[in-house]
Amino acid sequence: MNNLKIELEKTKTLIPRYLVPENTRPSYYIHSGFVFTTLTHPYLQTIYGSNWENNPHTPFDFVNVWYDDVPEFVGQQVVVLSHALTSELTSDLEFNNELLRSVNEVKVKNLTHLYQMVETAMAKQSPKFLTFQLGSRNVTIVTDLEKARKEENMILKDNSIPAKASDDLLAVAVYNNNQNRHY
């Protein structure tokens, strides 16, 4: 009789089941009135219910990531455009729950990467515009960095939000004029 040894390991997924550490608030980043966060089970359950995988209102992109995608590297996250806050910059736009694919044709690795790319561009004021590629429908949002800078504080104030990013992101170094700065 031959012995067969099979080692099992947990399936790795891009959508974490829990926020780690537990009882923490989700990370977020706001640019030009657009709120970005990471795709997690708690996020999906809050919006689409505990059976979100079978809810017909759950975006196909989200379900597809859950069933088909696996992490390509440690620290990879799925970043979503959660919603647009009310502001002059977003008045005619109705985006919510869209996967963020890239910024200026650079694939977004995680929320920290998004924060660093956008804040570096904001600090340098270059390029003048940022292009956000969303979901599988090839939807594109273009933001003007000068307008974003001018409106940022008003958007936060009007929506009673204390900061443009969660504390974990605000502690991240961002490139500015040949220096690393913490925002």
Side-chain angles (χ1 to χ4, degrees), residues 29 31 117-125 145 148-149 152:
Y29 175 55
H31 170 71
M117 285 193 297
V118 175
E119 288 301 309
T120 297
M122 291 285 285
K124 292 179 171 183
Q125 282 295 296
L145 294 183
R149 181 189 300 283
E152 181 176 276

Side-chain angles (χ1 to χ4, degrees), residues 116-140:
Q116 289 175 317
M117 285 193 297
V118 175
E119 288 301 309
T120 297
M122 291 285 285
K124 292 179 171 183
Q125 282 295 296
S126 176
K128 185 174 167 63
F129 300 97
L130 291 178
T131 303
F132 295 80
Q133 192 70 39
L134 303 175
S136 61
R137 297 178 293 148
N138 291 325
V139 175
T140 301

Side-chain angles (χ1 to χ4, degrees), residues 4-180:
L4 177 64
K5 183 177 179 181
I6 299 174
E7 288 187 37
L8 301 175
E9 65 178 51
K10 287 185 178 181
T11 303
K12 294 184 180 10
T13 178
L14 278 172
I15 304 177
R17 284 202 171 274
Y18 308 101
L19 294 175
V20 177
E22 285 187 50
N23 301 320
T24 60
R25 292 177 182 230
S27 297
Y28 71 91
Y29 175 55
I30 301 169
H31 170 71
S32 292
F34 297 106
V35 181
F36 298 94
T37 190
T38 56
L39 192 60
T40 63
H41 269 264
Y43 178 87
L44 289 165
Q45 290 171 340
T46 298
I47 297 170
Y48 303 107
S50 60
N51 194 18
W52 63 267
E53 306 98 313
N54 298 312
N55 183 331
H57 300 290
T58 304
F60 177 74
D61 283 350
F62 293 0
V63 177
N64 193 36
V65 167
W66 169 247
Y67 284 113
D68 297 336
D69 292 359
V70 295
E72 297 172 14
F73 54 87
V74 174
Q76 183 178 4
Q77 294 175 318
V78 178
V79 177
V80 295
L81 168 55
S82 173
H83 61 282
L85 298 171
T86 303
S87 76
E88 284 188 32
L89 299 178
T90 62
S91 61
D92 296 331
L93 303 173
E94 292 187 28
F95 289 105
N96 58 16
N97 301 318
E98 296 276 351
L99 291 183
L100 175 62
R101 299 290 183 191
S102 64
V103 175
N104 285 4
E105 299 183 2
V106 175
K107 186 175 178 179
V108 176
K109 298 175 184 177
N110 54 43
L111 192 59
T112 301
H113 183 229
L114 170 66
Y115 174 76
Q116 289 175 317
M117 285 193 297
V118 175
E119 288 301 309
T120 297
M122 291 285 285
K124 292 179 171 183
Q125 282 295 296
S126 176
K128 185 174 167 63
F129 300 97
L130 291 178
T131 303
F132 295 80
Q133 192 70 39
L134 303 175
S136 61
R137 297 178 293 148
N138 291 325
V139 175
T140 301
I141 297 174
V142 178
T143 63
D144 181 317
L145 294 183
E146 186 175 331
K147 287 181 181 178
R149 181 189 300 283
K150 288 178 183 175
E151 295 291 324
E152 181 176 276
N153 288 333
M154 185 60 71
I155 291 169
L156 296 175
K157 181 181 176 190
D158 288 351
N159 289 279
S160 301
I161 300 172
K164 65 181 170 185
S166 52
D167 290 341
D168 58 321
L169 293 177
L170 291 174
V172 172
V174 176
Y175 178 81
N176 180 25
N177 295 332
N178 298 323
Q179 302 173 16
N180 279 334

